[in-house]
PDB file of all heavy atoms in Angstrom:
ATOM      1  N   HIS A  29     -67.975   0.968  11.929  1.00 62.00           N
ATOM      2  CA  HIS A  29     -66.567   1.265  11.794  1.00 62.00           C
ATOM      3  C   HIS A  29     -65.898   0.910  13.098  1.00 62.00           C
ATOM      4  O   HIS A  29     -66.315   1.364  14.161  1.00 62.00           O
ATOM      5  CB  HIS A  29     -66.402   2.765  11.487  1.00 62.00           C
ATOM      6  CG  HIS A  29     -64.965   3.202  11.433  1.00 62.00           C
ATOM      7  ND1 HIS A  29     -64.216   3.091  10.297  1.00 62.00           N
ATOM      8  CD2 HIS A  29     -64.130   3.709  12.377  1.00 62.00           C
ATOM      9  CE1 HIS A  29     -63.004   3.541  10.544  1.00 62.00           C
ATOM     10  NE2 HIS A  29     -62.929   3.918  11.796  1.00 62.00           N
ATOM     11  N   LEU A  30     -64.869   0.107  13.032  1.00 68.00           N
ATOM     12  CA  LEU A  30     -64.155  -0.268  14.224  1.00 68.00           C
ATOM     13  C   LEU A  30     -62.842   0.485  14.290  1.00 68.00           C
ATOM     14  O   LEU A  30     -62.099   0.512  13.308  1.00 68.00           O
ATOM     15  CB  LEU A  30     -63.857  -1.799  14.177  1.00 68.00           C
ATOM     16  CG  LEU A  30     -63.021  -2.301  15.323  1.00 68.00           C
ATOM     17  CD1 LEU A  30     -63.951  -2.739  16.473  1.00 68.00           C
ATOM     18  CD2 LEU A  30     -62.166  -3.442  14.882  1.00 68.00           C
ATOM     19  N   LEU A  31     -62.604   1.152  15.388  1.00 78.00           N
ATOM     20  CA  LEU A  31     -61.351   1.833  15.589  1.00 78.00           C
ATOM     21  C   LEU A  31     -60.507   0.985  16.522  1.00 78.00           C
ATOM     22  O   LEU A  31     -60.889   0.770  17.680  1.00 78.00           O
ATOM     23  CB  LEU A  31     -61.570   3.221  16.189  1.00 78.00           C
ATOM     24  CG  LEU A  31     -60.322   4.040  16.504  1.00 78.00           C
ATOM     25  CD1 LEU A  31     -59.520   4.275  15.213  1.00 78.00           C
ATOM     26  CD2 LEU A  31     -60.676   5.347  17.135  1.00 78.00           C
ATOM     27  N   GLY A  32     -59.414   0.453  16.035  1.00 84.00           N
ATOM     28  CA  GLY A  32     -58.556  -0.416  16.853  1.00 84.00           C
ATOM     29  C   GLY A  32     -57.241   0.261  17.157  1.00 84.00           C
ATOM     30  O   GLY A  32     -56.586   0.806  16.284  1.00 84.00           O
ATOM     31  N   LEU A  33     -56.885   0.215  18.437  1.00 89.00           N
ATOM     32  CA  LEU A  33     -55.617   0.812  18.923  1.00 89.00           C
ATOM     33  C   LEU A  33     -54.796  -0.297  19.517  1.00 89.00           C
ATOM     34  O   LEU A  33     -55.281  -1.093  20.322  1.00 89.00           O
ATOM     35  CB  LEU A  33     -55.890   1.903  19.909  1.00 89.00           C
ATOM     36  CG  LEU A  33     -56.764   3.051  19.399  1.00 89.00           C
ATOM     37  CD1 LEU A  33     -57.132   3.972  20.562  1.00 89.00           C
ATOM     38  CD2 LEU A  33     -56.080   3.825  18.304  1.00 89.00           C
ATOM     39  N   HIS A  34     -53.523  -0.333  19.145  1.00 91.00           N
ATOM     40  CA  HIS A  34     -52.625  -1.432  19.527  1.00 91.00           C
ATOM     41  C   HIS A  34     -51.501  -0.823  20.356  1.00 91.00           C
ATOM     42  O   HIS A  34     -50.738  -0.004  19.860  1.00 91.00           O
ATOM     43  CB  HIS A  34     -52.099  -2.032  18.218  1.00 91.00           C
ATOM     44  CG  HIS A  34     -51.190  -3.149  18.382  1.00 91.00           C
ATOM     45  ND1 HIS A  34     -51.596  -4.436  18.655  1.00 91.00           N
ATOM     46  CD2 HIS A  34     -49.838  -3.210  18.271  1.00 91.00           C
ATOM     47  CE1 HIS A  34     -50.544  -5.230  18.706  1.00 91.00           C
ATOM     48  NE2 HIS A  34     -49.470  -4.510  18.460  1.00 91.00           N
ATOM     49  N   MET A  35     -51.413  -1.219  21.625  1.00 95.00           N
ATOM     50  CA  MET A  35     -50.449  -0.636  22.553  1.00 95.00           C
ATOM     51  C   MET A  35     -49.395  -1.677  22.954  1.00 95.00           C
ATOM     52  O   MET A  35     -49.751  -2.754  23.408  1.00 95.00           O
ATOM     53  CB  MET A  35     -51.152  -0.143  23.839  1.00 95.00           C
ATOM     54  CG  MET A  35     -52.410   0.650  23.602  1.00 95.00           C
ATOM     55  SD  MET A  35     -52.075   2.266  22.916  1.00 95.00           S
ATOM     56  CE  MET A  35     -53.580   3.108  23.342  1.00 95.00           C
ATOM     57  N   HIS A  36     -48.133  -1.312  22.792  1.00 95.00           N
ATOM     58  CA  HIS A  36     -47.047  -2.240  23.145  1.00 95.00           C
ATOM     59  C   HIS A  36     -45.755  -1.486  23.423  1.00 95.00           C
ATOM     60  O   HIS A  36     -45.500  -0.454  22.799  1.00 95.00           O
ATOM     61  CB  HIS A  36     -46.815  -3.259  22.015  1.00 95.00           C
ATOM     62  CG  HIS A  36     -45.575  -4.056  22.182  1.00 95.00           C
ATOM     63  ND1 HIS A  36     -45.447  -4.990  23.167  1.00 95.00           N
ATOM     64  CD2 HIS A  36     -44.400  -4.052  21.516  1.00 95.00           C
ATOM     65  CE1 HIS A  36     -44.226  -5.538  23.103  1.00 95.00           C
ATOM     66  NE2 HIS A  36     -43.593  -4.992  22.102  1.00 95.00           N
ATOM     67  N   GLN A  37     -44.973  -2.009  24.347  1.00 96.00           N
ATOM     68  CA  GLN A  37     -43.602  -1.576  24.562  1.00 96.00           C
ATOM     69  C   GLN A  37     -42.782  -2.834  24.851  1.00 96.00           C
ATOM     70  O   GLN A  37     -43.211  -3.715  25.590  1.00 96.00           O
ATOM     71  CB  GLN A  37     -43.476  -0.622  25.746  1.00 96.00           C
ATOM     72  CG  GLN A  37     -44.009   0.762  25.505  1.00 96.00           C
ATOM     73  CD  GLN A  37     -43.214   1.513  24.464  1.00 96.00           C
ATOM     74  OE1 GLN A  37     -42.003   1.453  24.391  1.00 96.00           O
ATOM     75  NE2 GLN A  37     -43.949   2.239  23.633  1.00 96.00           N
ATOM     76  N   PRO A  38     -41.581  -2.952  24.285  1.00 96.00           N
ATOM     77  CA  PRO A  38     -40.721  -4.078  24.609  1.00 96.00           C
ATOM     78  C   PRO A  38     -40.378  -4.118  26.093  1.00 96.00           C
ATOM     79  O   PRO A  38     -40.510  -3.099  26.797  1.00 96.00           O
ATOM     80  CB  PRO A  38     -39.470  -3.820  23.754  1.00 96.00           C
ATOM     81  CG  PRO A  38     -39.896  -2.886  22.696  1.00 96.00           C
ATOM     82  CD  PRO A  38     -40.997  -2.036  23.292  1.00 96.00           C
ATOM     83  N   PRO A  39     -39.933  -5.274  26.591  1.00 96.00           N
ATOM     84  CA  PRO A  39     -39.589  -5.377  28.001  1.00 96.00           C
ATOM     85  C   PRO A  39     -38.643  -4.275  28.476  1.00 96.00           C
ATOM     86  O   PRO A  39     -37.653  -3.966  27.787  1.00 96.00           O
ATOM     87  CB  PRO A  39     -38.898  -6.767  28.111  1.00 96.00           C
ATOM     88  CG  PRO A  39     -39.465  -7.522  26.965  1.00 96.00           C
ATOM     89  CD  PRO A  39     -39.695  -6.509  25.875  1.00 96.00           C
ATOM     90  N   ASP A  40     -38.970  -3.660  29.593  1.00 96.00           N
ATOM     91  CA  ASP A  40     -38.160  -2.656  30.257  1.00 96.00           C
ATOM     92  C   ASP A  40     -37.997  -1.350  29.474  1.00 96.00           C
ATOM     93  O   ASP A  40     -37.223  -0.492  29.842  1.00 96.00           O
ATOM     94  CB  ASP A  40     -36.773  -3.236  30.620  1.00 96.00           C
ATOM     95  CG  ASP A  40     -36.184  -2.555  31.860  1.00 96.00           C
ATOM     96  OD1 ASP A  40     -36.957  -2.135  32.757  1.00 96.00           O
ATOM     97  OD2 ASP A  40     -34.947  -2.428  31.921  1.00 96.00           O
ATOM     98  N   ASN A  41     -38.746  -1.176  28.376  1.00 97.00           N
ATOM     99  CA  ASN A  41     -38.582  -0.002  27.541  1.00 97.00           C
ATOM    100  C   ASN A  41     -39.102   1.264  28.196  1.00 97.00           C
ATOM    101  O   ASN A  41     -38.567   2.359  27.962  1.00 97.00           O
ATOM    102  CB  ASN A  41     -39.235  -0.202  26.180  1.00 97.00           C
ATOM    103  CG  ASN A  41     -38.605   0.674  25.144  1.00 97.00           C
ATOM    104  OD1 ASN A  41     -37.382   0.687  24.962  1.00 97.00           O
ATOM    105  ND2 ASN A  41     -39.426   1.439  24.436  1.00 97.00           N
ATOM    106  N   LEU A  42     -40.162   1.182  29.012  1.00 97.00           N
ATOM    107  CA  LEU A  42     -40.669   2.392  29.657  1.00 97.00           C
ATOM    108  C   LEU A  42     -39.628   2.980  30.618  1.00 97.00           C
ATOM    109  O   LEU A  42     -39.484   4.204  30.712  1.00 97.00           O
ATOM    110  CB  LEU A  42     -41.970   2.103  30.388  1.00 97.00           C
ATOM    111  CG  LEU A  42     -43.174   1.864  29.501  1.00 97.00           C
ATOM    112  CD1 LEU A  42     -44.420   1.554  30.327  1.00 97.00           C
ATOM    113  CD2 LEU A  42     -43.455   3.018  28.537  1.00 97.00           C
ATOM    114  N   ARG A  43     -38.906   2.122  31.304  1.00 97.00           N
ATOM    115  CA  ARG A  43     -37.831   2.609  32.213  1.00 97.00           C
ATOM    116  C   ARG A  43     -36.719   3.212  31.382  1.00 97.00           C
ATOM    117  O   ARG A  43     -36.242   4.315  31.678  1.00 97.00           O
ATOM    118  CB  ARG A  43     -37.257   1.466  33.076  1.00 97.00           C
ATOM    119  CG  ARG A  43     -36.185   1.939  34.037  1.00 97.00           C
ATOM    120  CD  ARG A  43     -35.275   0.858  34.499  1.00 97.00           C
ATOM    121  NE  ARG A  43     -34.682   0.072  33.430  1.00 97.00           N
ATOM    122  CZ  ARG A  43     -33.628   0.472  32.682  1.00 97.00           C
ATOM    123  NH1 ARG A  43     -33.090   1.664  32.861  1.00 97.00           N
ATOM    124  NH2 ARG A  43     -33.147  -0.282  31.717  1.00 97.00           N
ATOM    125  N   LEU A  44     -36.324   2.552  30.297  1.00 97.00           N
ATOM    126  CA  LEU A  44     -35.273   3.056  29.437  1.00 97.00           C
ATOM    127  C   LEU A  44     -35.632   4.417  28.876  1.00 97.00           C
ATOM    128  O   LEU A  44     -34.824   5.363  28.876  1.00 97.00           O
ATOM    129  CB  LEU A  44     -34.974   2.082  28.307  1.00 97.00           C
ATOM    130  CG  LEU A  44     -33.989   2.492  27.234  1.00 97.00           C
ATOM    131  CD1 LEU A  44     -32.570   2.588  27.855  1.00 97.00           C
ATOM    132  CD2 LEU A  44     -33.983   1.539  26.074  1.00 97.00           C
ATOM    133  N   LEU A  45     -36.878   4.591  28.438  1.00 96.00           N
ATOM    134  CA  LEU A  45     -37.327   5.861  27.854  1.00 96.00           C
ATOM    135  C   LEU A  45     -37.269   6.985  28.882  1.00 96.00           C
ATOM    136  O   LEU A  45     -36.748   8.071  28.585  1.00 96.00           O
ATOM    137  CB  LEU A  45     -38.739   5.728  27.319  1.00 96.00           C
ATOM    138  CG  LEU A  45     -38.872   5.030  25.983  1.00 96.00           C
ATOM    139  CD1 LEU A  45     -40.332   4.750  25.694  1.00 96.00           C
ATOM    140  CD2 LEU A  45     -38.255   5.872  24.884  1.00 96.00           C
ATOM    141  N   ILE A  46     -37.800   6.738  30.068  1.00 96.00           N
ATOM    142  CA  ILE A  46     -37.865   7.827  31.079  1.00 96.00           C
ATOM    143  C   ILE A  46     -36.433   8.176  31.548  1.00 96.00           C
ATOM    144  O   ILE A  46     -36.170   9.331  31.913  1.00 96.00           O
ATOM    145  CB  ILE A  46     -38.793   7.496  32.245  1.00 96.00           C
ATOM    146  CG1 ILE A  46     -39.174   8.721  33.024  1.00 96.00           C
ATOM    147  CG2 ILE A  46     -38.210   6.423  33.153  1.00 96.00           C
ATOM    148  CD1 ILE A  46     -40.194   9.604  32.402  1.00 96.00           C
ATOM    149  N   ASP A  47     -35.524   7.208  31.491  1.00 96.00           N
ATOM    150  CA  ASP A  47     -34.123   7.477  31.895  1.00 96.00           C
ATOM    151  C   ASP A  47     -33.304   8.197  30.817  1.00 96.00           C
ATOM    152  O   ASP A  47     -32.403   8.955  31.117  1.00 96.00           O
ATOM    153  CB  ASP A  47     -33.397   6.156  32.210  1.00 96.00           C
ATOM    154  CG  ASP A  47     -33.846   5.554  33.522  1.00 96.00           C
ATOM    155  OD1 ASP A  47     -34.519   6.222  34.325  1.00 96.00           O
ATOM    156  OD2 ASP A  47     -33.525   4.359  33.767  1.00 96.00           O
ATOM    157  N   SER A  48     -33.694   7.977  29.517  1.00 96.00           N
ATOM    158  CA  SER A  48     -32.862   8.498  28.468  1.00 96.00           C
ATOM    159  C   SER A  48     -33.462   9.581  27.585  1.00 96.00           C
ATOM    160  O   SER A  48     -32.754  10.358  26.959  1.00 96.00           O
ATOM    161  CB  SER A  48     -32.397   7.346  27.540  1.00 96.00           C
ATOM    162  OG  SER A  48     -33.517   6.747  26.947  1.00 96.00           O
ATOM    163  N   ASN A  49     -34.809   9.621  27.545  1.00 95.00           N
ATOM    164  CA  ASN A  49     -35.448  10.597  26.637  1.00 95.00           C
ATOM    165  C   ASN A  49     -36.786  11.015  27.246  1.00 95.00           C
ATOM    166  O   ASN A  49     -37.837  10.490  26.869  1.00 95.00           O
ATOM    167  CB  ASN A  49     -35.629   9.980  25.241  1.00 95.00           C
ATOM    168  CG  ASN A  49     -36.069  10.991  24.223  1.00 95.00           C
ATOM    169  OD1 ASN A  49     -36.681  12.014  24.561  1.00 95.00           O
ATOM    170  ND2 ASN A  49     -35.784  10.715  22.959  1.00 95.00           N
ATOM    171  N   ASP A  50     -36.734  11.936  28.145  1.00 94.00           N
ATOM    172  CA  ASP A  50     -37.930  12.392  28.857  1.00 94.00           C
ATOM    173  C   ASP A  50     -39.044  12.839  27.909  1.00 94.00           C
ATOM    174  O   ASP A  50     -40.202  12.520  28.119  1.00 94.00           O
ATOM    175  CB  ASP A  50     -37.555  13.517  29.820  1.00 94.00           C
ATOM    176  CG  ASP A  50     -38.726  13.922  30.704  1.00 94.00           C
ATOM    177  OD1 ASP A  50     -39.202  13.079  31.488  1.00 94.00           O
ATOM    178  OD2 ASP A  50     -39.191  15.088  30.576  1.00 94.00           O
ATOM    179  N   TRP A  51     -38.693  13.593  26.859  1.00 96.00           N
ATOM    180  CA  TRP A  51     -39.721  14.087  25.928  1.00 96.00           C
ATOM    181  C   TRP A  51     -40.435  12.922  25.252  1.00 96.00           C
ATOM    182  O   TRP A  51     -41.655  12.898  25.181  1.00 96.00           O
ATOM    183  CB  TRP A  51     -39.049  14.981  24.849  1.00 96.00           C
ATOM    184  CG  TRP A  51     -40.089  15.560  23.917  1.00 96.00           C
ATOM    185  CD1 TRP A  51     -40.796  16.712  24.095  1.00 96.00           C
ATOM    186  CD2 TRP A  51     -40.529  14.985  22.692  1.00 96.00           C
ATOM    187  NE1 TRP A  51     -41.677  16.887  23.029  1.00 96.00           N
ATOM    188  CE2 TRP A  51     -41.535  15.835  22.166  1.00 96.00           C
ATOM    189  CE3 TRP A  51     -40.194  13.842  21.982  1.00 96.00           C
ATOM    190  CZ2 TRP A  51     -42.182  15.572  20.961  1.00 96.00           C
ATOM    191  CZ3 TRP A  51     -40.863  13.573  20.795  1.00 96.00           C
ATOM    192  CH2 TRP A  51     -41.821  14.454  20.286  1.00 96.00           C
ATOM    193  N   GLU A  52     -39.697  11.954  24.747  1.00 96.00           N
ATOM    194  CA  GLU A  52     -40.312  10.794  24.073  1.00 96.00           C
ATOM    195  C   GLU A  52     -41.147   9.984  25.056  1.00 96.00           C
ATOM    196  O   GLU A  52     -42.249   9.546  24.714  1.00 96.00           O
ATOM    197  CB  GLU A  52     -39.230   9.912  23.403  1.00 96.00           C
ATOM    198  CG  GLU A  52     -39.840   8.807  22.570  1.00 96.00           C
ATOM    199  CD  GLU A  52     -38.780   8.056  21.800  1.00 96.00           C
ATOM    200  OE1 GLU A  52     -37.637   8.509  21.675  1.00 96.00           O
ATOM    201  OE2 GLU A  52     -39.148   6.976  21.295  1.00 96.00           O
ATOM    202  N   ALA A  53     -40.632   9.777  26.260  1.00 96.00           N
ATOM    203  CA  ALA A  53     -41.370   9.037  27.270  1.00 96.00           C
ATOM    204  C   ALA A  53     -42.712   9.713  27.548  1.00 96.00           C
ATOM    205  O   ALA A  53     -43.762   9.064  27.654  1.00 96.00           O
ATOM    206  CB  ALA A  53     -40.559   8.923  28.543  1.00 96.00           C
ATOM    207  N   ARG A  54     -42.670  11.008  27.652  1.00 97.00           N
ATOM    208  CA  ARG A  54     -43.902  11.784  27.901  1.00 97.00           C
ATOM    209  C   ARG A  54     -44.902  11.599  26.756  1.00 97.00           C
ATOM    210  O   ARG A  54     -46.090  11.396  27.001  1.00 97.00           O
ATOM    211  CB  ARG A  54     -43.514  13.252  28.076  1.00 97.00           C
ATOM    212  CG  ARG A  54     -44.683  14.190  28.282  1.00 97.00           C
ATOM    213  CD  ARG A  54     -44.220  15.631  28.458  1.00 97.00           C
ATOM    214  NE  ARG A  54     -45.284  16.402  29.019  1.00 97.00           N
ATOM    215  CZ  ARG A  54     -45.704  16.400  30.253  1.00 97.00           C
ATOM    216  NH1 ARG A  54     -45.102  15.612  31.121  1.00 97.00           N
ATOM    217  NH2 ARG A  54     -46.696  17.128  30.669  1.00 97.00           N
ATOM    218  N   GLN A  55     -44.431  11.722  25.519  1.00 97.00           N
ATOM    219  CA  GLN A  55     -45.330  11.604  24.380  1.00 97.00           C
ATOM    220  C   GLN A  55     -45.964  10.212  24.322  1.00 97.00           C
ATOM    221  O   GLN A  55     -47.164  10.086  24.036  1.00 97.00           O
ATOM    222  CB  GLN A  55     -44.581  11.884  23.069  1.00 97.00           C
ATOM    223  CG  GLN A  55     -43.950  13.266  22.987  1.00 97.00           C
ATOM    224  CD  GLN A  55     -44.878  14.369  23.428  1.00 97.00           C
ATOM    225  OE1 GLN A  55     -45.992  14.499  22.924  1.00 97.00           O
ATOM    226  NE2 GLN A  55     -44.445  15.156  24.410  1.00 97.00           N
ATOM    227  N   ILE A  56     -45.185   9.172  24.570  1.00 96.00           N
ATOM    228  CA  ILE A  56     -45.711   7.817  24.520  1.00 96.00           C
ATOM    229  C   ILE A  56     -46.772   7.604  25.598  1.00 96.00           C
ATOM    230  O   ILE A  56     -47.830   7.086  25.349  1.00 96.00           O
ATOM    231  CB  ILE A  56     -44.565   6.776  24.625  1.00 96.00           C
ATOM    232  CG1 ILE A  56     -43.779   6.789  23.303  1.00 96.00           C
ATOM    233  CG2 ILE A  56     -45.083   5.402  24.977  1.00 96.00           C
ATOM    234  CD1 ILE A  56     -42.528   5.997  23.296  1.00 96.00           C
ATOM    235  N   MET A  57     -46.482   8.046  26.804  1.00 97.00           N
ATOM    236  CA  MET A  57     -47.454   7.885  27.884  1.00 97.00           C
ATOM    237  C   MET A  57     -48.735   8.656  27.634  1.00 97.00           C
ATOM    238  O   MET A  57     -49.843   8.175  27.904  1.00 97.00           O
ATOM    239  CB  MET A  57     -46.818   8.287  29.234  1.00 97.00           C
ATOM    240  CG  MET A  57     -47.590   7.765  30.419  1.00 97.00           C
ATOM    241  SD  MET A  57     -47.859   5.950  30.424  1.00 97.00           S
ATOM    242  CE  MET A  57     -46.197   5.363  30.660  1.00 97.00           C
ATOM    243  N   LEU A  58     -48.610   9.848  27.063  1.00 97.00           N
ATOM    244  CA  LEU A  58     -49.808  10.625  26.726  1.00 97.00           C
ATOM    245  C   LEU A  58     -50.609   9.929  25.619  1.00 97.00           C
ATOM    246  O   LEU A  58     -51.842  10.016  25.617  1.00 97.00           O
ATOM    247  CB  LEU A  58     -49.423  12.057  26.303  1.00 97.00           C
ATOM    248  CG  LEU A  58     -48.918  12.923  27.446  1.00 97.00           C
ATOM    249  CD1 LEU A  58     -48.402  14.255  26.934  1.00 97.00           C
ATOM    250  CD2 LEU A  58     -49.960  13.121  28.529  1.00 97.00           C
ATOM    251  N   CYS A  59     -49.927   9.237  24.726  1.00 95.00           N
ATOM    252  CA  CYS A  59     -50.635   8.463  23.677  1.00 95.00           C
ATOM    253  C   CYS A  59     -51.462   7.337  24.301  1.00 95.00           C
ATOM    254  O   CYS A  59     -52.538   7.006  23.784  1.00 95.00           O
ATOM    255  CB  CYS A  59     -49.647   7.895  22.675  1.00 95.00           C
ATOM    256  SG  CYS A  59     -49.009   9.118  21.522  1.00 95.00           S
TER     257      CYS A  59
END
């Protein structure tokens, strides 16, 4: 059984998230 995880964020999205939605940024980084 292969478990595949696919990680991506559009350009500059991590900065946008931490600037605009701290809760969502936190959840994504923990993922």
Side-chain angles (χ1 to χ4, degrees):
H29 175 85
L30 176 91
L31 178 60
L33 303 172
H34 180 79
M35 314 289 200
H36 169 69
Q37 287 295 320
D40 209 31
N41 204 53
L42 289 179
R43 182 201 53 77
L44 176 67
L45 282 169
I46 198 76
D47 288 346
S48 63
N49 190 335
D50 185 64
W51 183 88
E52 187 173 347
R54 177 179 196 75
Q55 301 313 306
I56 287 171
M57 196 56 67
L58 290 173
C59 285

